[in-house]
Amino acid sequence: MRSKLEWRAARVLVIETPAEDVRAVTFAVEDLRSSFDPGSHTNIKVMINGEPAIRTYTVLPSEPGTLKIAVKLHPNSRGGSAFVWTLKPGDETEMTEPENRFELSWRASHYLLVAGGIGITPIYGMAKALATRGQSVRLIYGARSIEQMAFASELRDLLGDRIETFSQEDGQAFDLAGEFAALPPDGEAYLCGPHGLLETARNLWRESGRPMSRLRFEVFGDSGRFAEESFQVHVPRREKIVAVRADQTMLDALVEAGIDMIYDCRRGECGLCAVNIIEASAPLDHRDVFFSTEERREKAKMCACVSRAVGGTITIDTGYREDSHSATLRAPT
Ligand code: FES
């Protein structure tokens, strides 16, 4: 259950390749609101193995009446990025009005932006907005190689010596603890990158003693530990056994099977889709950033939108009750 999405007809206008494995697609979108804030995302209808599905991507700054997304072709893709890579000018789909759950606060005296790989997509819009308004900002941007850094030259033009890039291939790495220590007391950090980077950042930020409300992040991708495998979910309360394909999330499979679920972000951040694990015959691949390491170790809950079992069957109960549409909400810590 989530707020109703406002779908709009969208047609591919332009395809660009801002990095060797990244495709940027600009869509002309009907009846689009005129502007959206940096950090906003859109949903797009895609086809995966002949089946309709929905994927969520950050929107990049673009002309009025258009939405632009940048998508990395990922080897572990469940099909969303592969679909976007097949698009050509003139192709049609539907997209939603952008929404924002990764907003700039506009209250800090200095902003540290950190991007890992394709995590540059929300950070790019933030850097542009902050620089345009004359705010104090620094961007650190890491990727596997220089060739895989989308929008790096535009960002260098925009930020000058306020951007630093790091290429893993060249043995470069950034010092996140040092970056956090250099922030003024009311400084804020905004990060987007893979799971491991976000986990490290959350731990370092907590150790620095800074308020967690001044660290904001968005995560993408898998945990890097397991490839996608199909598995089964047994829901005794509904007397159902649901098969989850390798190219499908557990949340999508449960919803398709007619099981009511509460969810929102679909990115492992809000915790709304968490299910109770009764029994698991296979290892669990936790890919959320909602639960702490200790909570994951307890193996009592998992986020159905991103986390998976590595084969086998898991037996679960869902948080949804017909007599109550409410859920226990907790902010990420
Ligand atoms: S829907 Fe937000 S964590 Fe799954």
Side-chain angles (χ1 to χ4, degrees), residues 217-264:
F217 54 82
E218 192 167 80
V219 70
F220 65 82
D222 55 42
S223 63
R225 295 189 302 141
F226 302 103
E228 271 81 1
E229 282 191 33
S230 57
F231 61 101
Q232 289 194 320
V233 186
H234 180 204
V235 191
R237 196 168 50 81
R238 297 295 305 274
E239 297 178 350
K240 280 196 175 173
I241 294 180
V242 178
V244 183
R245 300 189 309 265
D247 64 358
Q248 190 181 34
T249 68
M250 179 171 151
L251 176 65
D252 285 343
L254 291 170
V255 170
E256 271 175 31
I259 293 174
D260 292 315
M261 295 289 293
I262 302 172
Y263 60 95
D264 188 33

Side-chain angles (χ1 to χ4, degrees), residues 41 50 122 146 164:
H41 65 268
I146 299 282
E164 228 176 312

Side-chain angles (χ1 to χ4, degrees), residues 251 263-273 290 303-306:
L251 176 65
Y263 60 95
D264 188 33
C265 71
R266 301 180 73 107
R267 290 190 298 209
E269 292 165 11
C270 71
L272 270 178
C273 66
F290 180 76
C303 287
C305 66
V306 289

